């Protein structure tokens, strides 16, 4: 067997997936995007489709992304902001998505200034990984951001690694990936090149310097791609730190109110919700 597809909870072990894919016998690897019981539905649908079509899967469309959850309009976001009773003084800024100065550009600039932003925009991710639409983002070149996020926001242990969101076109700059695997769901780790040890240090595993990357394609998530691209324009770095938008022990945020609550009850200085930026004074 040279073309391998894997699913099930054991394959949430991203390091094991790396070892499996590095075996010379393995030509290609498909990892179920979220390997818990919730992904059983995907297998059931494919099986049912095969039964109905005499095992002909030629017309079955590939799942291009995991942005399958809820999304909120700017009107709904504003309503949530207006209704929220802030205990701390904040500024609220709206960015017209049709203007030159979009919120993606502004967030990229904030990250380049070495601050941290919580982001909620577009449809929520399905599965176990935060893929930019419900994420906390930071400059990965600063190791100080690991301590900042762990102590002021996440309340988690220092050894728990963060993930990297990087531009798809920069994959070969940062990863050792001879089989040209397209890792879009943070399901596998890779050895990294020396440049990553400096520019992406905060988003690598502190022990072995591996990366658990999300490759961001423009056609899959154009707004998130634009955000990272703006960061790269300023810093020259094509990747950022990405971790789930939640307090430690709590589920990931889903609604604008969830995001505002997490923002206020943590040391998070900025939150970008839809096209609104809320910042602590």
């Amino acid at each position: 067997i040279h073309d391998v597809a894997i699913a099930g909870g054991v394959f949430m072990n991203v390091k094991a997936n790396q070892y499996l894919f590095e075996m010379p016998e393995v030509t290609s690897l498909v990892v179920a995007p979220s390997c818990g019981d919730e992904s059983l539905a995907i297998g059931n649908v494919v099986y049912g489709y095969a039964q109905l079509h005499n095992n002909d899967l030629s017309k079955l469309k590939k799942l291009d992304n995991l942005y399958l959850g809820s999304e909120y309009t700017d009107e709904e976001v504003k309503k949530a902001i207006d209704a929220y009773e802030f205990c701390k003084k904040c500024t609220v800024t709206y960015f017209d998505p049709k203007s030159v100065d979009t919120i993606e550009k502004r967030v990229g600039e904030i990250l380049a200034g070495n601050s941290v932003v919580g982001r909620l925009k577009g449809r929520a991710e399905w599965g176990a990984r935060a893929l930019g639409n419900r994420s906390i983002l930071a400059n990965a070149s600063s190791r100080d951001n690991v301590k900042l996020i762990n102590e002021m926001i996440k309340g988690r242990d220092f050894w728990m690694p963060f993930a990297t969101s990087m531009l798809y076109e920069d994959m070969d700059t940062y990863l050792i990936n001879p089989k040209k695997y397209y890792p879009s769901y943070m399901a596998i780790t890779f050895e990294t090149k020396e440049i990553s040890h400096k520019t992406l240090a905060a988003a690598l595993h502190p022990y072995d310097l591996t990366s658990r990357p999300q490759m961001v394609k423009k056609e899959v998530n154009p707004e998130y791609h634009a955000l990272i691209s703006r960061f790269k324009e300023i810093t020259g770095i094509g990747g950022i730190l990405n971790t789930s938008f939640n307090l430690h022990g709590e589920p990931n945020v889903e609604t604008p109110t969830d995001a505002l609550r997490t923002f206020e009850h943590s040391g998070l200085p900025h939150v970008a919700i839809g096209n609104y930026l809320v910042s602590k004074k």
Side-chain angles (χ1 to χ4, degrees), residues 146-155 247 265-269:
V146 174
K147 183 177 181 181
L148 173 68
I149 295 172
N150 280 338
E151 292 185 356
M152 296 182 66
I153 302 167
K154 301 283 283 189
L247 300 172
H265 288 84
S266 69
L268 196 62

Side-chain angles (χ1 to χ4, degrees), residues 265-281:
H265 288 84
S266 69
L268 196 62
H270 307 277
V271 62
I273 310 176
N275 291 299
Y276 284 89
L277 180 69
V278 185
S279 303
K280 290 171 183 168
K281 290 185 176 181

Side-chain angles (χ1 to χ4, degrees), residues 28-233:
S28 68
L29 180 71
V30 174
V31 185
S34 188
C35 290
D37 289 347
E38 70 277 0
S39 63
L40 291 172
I42 296 176
N44 287 334
V45 167
V46 175
Y47 177 77
Y49 185 94
Q51 293 295 301
L52 291 171
H53 295 85
N54 297 317
N55 292 320
D56 179 10
L57 302 180
S58 60
K59 294 182 180 180
L60 196 64
K61 293 182 179 180
K62 183 181 178 180
L63 188 64
D64 291 326
N65 64 77
L66 296 183
Y67 302 112
L68 306 172
S70 302
E71 62 181 330
Y72 300 89
T73 65
D74 282 340
E75 290 75 16
E76 291 172 312
V77 172
K78 186 177 187 305
K79 185 177 180 180
I81 293 172
D82 290 343
Y84 195 87
E85 296 182 3
F86 292 95
C87 295
K88 303 169 185 175
K89 291 185 178 180
C90 300
T91 60
V92 179
T93 308
Y94 176 72
F95 292 83
D96 186 344
K98 297 180 182 179
S99 70
V100 176
D101 297 319
T102 64
I103 194 167
E104 282 72 36
K105 287 186 177 181
R106 181 65 188 123
V107 171
E109 292 162 1
I110 292 172
L111 298 181
N114 213 31
S115 193
V116 182
V117 182
R119 181 175 190 260
L120 186 156
K121 192 168 190 182
R123 299 185 67 173
E125 303 91 336
W126 173 86
R129 306 299 187 195
L131 301 172
N133 284 7
R134 304 290 188 280
S135 293
I136 292 173
L137 311 175
N139 185 338
S141 67
S142 174
R143 286 285 304 170
D144 291 341
N145 283 330
V146 174
K147 183 177 181 181
L148 173 68
I149 295 172
N150 280 338
E151 292 185 356
M152 296 182 66
I153 302 167
K154 301 283 283 189
R156 56 189 240 163
D157 295 312
F158 72 92
W159 50 263
M160 298 175 71
F162 296 117
T164 319
S165 288
M166 64 178 69
L167 301 174
Y168 173 74
E169 51 267 35
D170 287 346
M171 176 170 62
D172 292 335
T173 301
Y174 300 108
L175 302 181
I176 298 174
N177 185 12
K179 296 182 183 179
K180 304 302 179 185
Y181 186 76
Y182 167 45
S184 54
Y185 302 131
M186 301 180 181
I188 183 172
T189 51
F190 289 86
E191 303 298 327
T192 54
K193 296 181 179 179
E194 189 172 350
I195 187 175
S196 300
H197 306 165
K198 298 178 181 179
T199 58
L200 300 175
L204 305 181
H205 195 291
Y207 176 73
D208 62 10
L209 299 179
T210 54
S211 171
R212 175 168 56 93
Q214 172 200 7
M215 290 293 120
V216 182
K217 285 186 175 180
K218 186 175 183 179
E219 58 267 33
V220 173
N221 194 333
E223 292 173 326
Y224 193 36
H225 187 277
L227 187 159
I228 302 173
S229 295
R230 178 56 179 155
F231 176 80
K232 182 183 178 182
E233 286 177 5

